[in-house]
Amino acid sequence: MKLTPSKLNVFSLYRLPSAYLCGVRVKNLDHEKCIVCVKHKWINQNPFKSMFWAVQGMAAELSTGALMMGKIQESGKRISMLVVSNNAKFTKKATGKITFTCNDGYLIDKALKKAIETGDGQTVWMTSIGVNKDGIEVSTFNFEWSIKVKQ
């Protein structure tokens, strides 16, 4: 069964309910990138009239994680995945619709290939950049994912 944006959004309803309630939605998923959107609204605001940083983090992490999940599924192997580290930079207030894009599919390919060939766990840093409707960057998130072939 191929991962699609609609399947990931249903998945988030049941497995990531806070992200779903805050409006985090996958819009596009292909071999190289994943796009996730979230709109600033009452339920995901902070006291400064912008989107709470953790909501941005949920959307950013989903853009990297969905890409990772898709690649693992394509490999046909049983592989575990876990975020082991992350960092973020905020450059503008997040208001309106924020779109997070991760273009790091090729990094996952390299790490998965090495994990499958060697049996050793691998880590990969992935970046998701959030922009507003005008294309202005509001935040950048980096996630270090650990992957390991299950025995």
Side-chain angles (χ1 to χ4, degrees), residues 42-120:
W42 176 84
I43 196 154
N44 62 25
Q45 69 183 340
N46 63 29
F48 310 106
K49 299 181 181 171
S50 62
M51 190 180 300
F52 185 50
W53 71 267
V55 175
Q56 294 179 65
M58 288 189 290
E61 182 184 356
L62 184 57
S63 72
T64 63
L67 196 52
M68 180 73 74
M69 288 168 60
K71 297 280 189 171
I72 288 171
Q73 187 182 59
E74 287 173 12
S75 79
K77 304 286 184 188
R78 293 183 59 233
I79 299 173
S80 63
M81 57 186 269
L82 179 68
V83 171
V84 294
S85 183
N86 76 300
N87 62 60
K89 178 179 161 188
F90 302 92
T91 50
K92 186 164 176 58
K93 279 180 123 178
T95 58
K97 184 178 180 181
I98 308 300
T99 302
F100 287 90
T101 304
C102 176
N103 292 302
D104 292 339
Y106 68 98
L107 295 175
I108 301 168
D109 292 335
K110 290 178 186 177
L112 279 174
K113 182 179 179 189
K114 191 168 183 182
I116 292 166
E117 287 174 355
T118 67
D120 295 333

Side-chain angles (χ1 to χ4, degrees), residues 12-13 16-25 38 41 43-44 58:
S12 72
L13 172 63
L16 304 167
S18 21
Y20 189 85
L21 291 172
C22 286
V24 175
R25 300 293 185 273
V38 60
K41 51 189 174 182
I43 196 154
N44 62 25
M58 288 189 290

Side-chain angles (χ1 to χ4, degrees), residues 121-142:
Q122 301 295 313
T123 62
V124 58
W125 278 96
M126 299 173 67
T127 300
S128 182
I129 299 173
V131 298
N132 63 17
K133 67 179 175 68
D134 298 322
I136 298 169
E137 185 178 314
V138 299
S139 58
T140 300
F141 284 80
N142 299 294

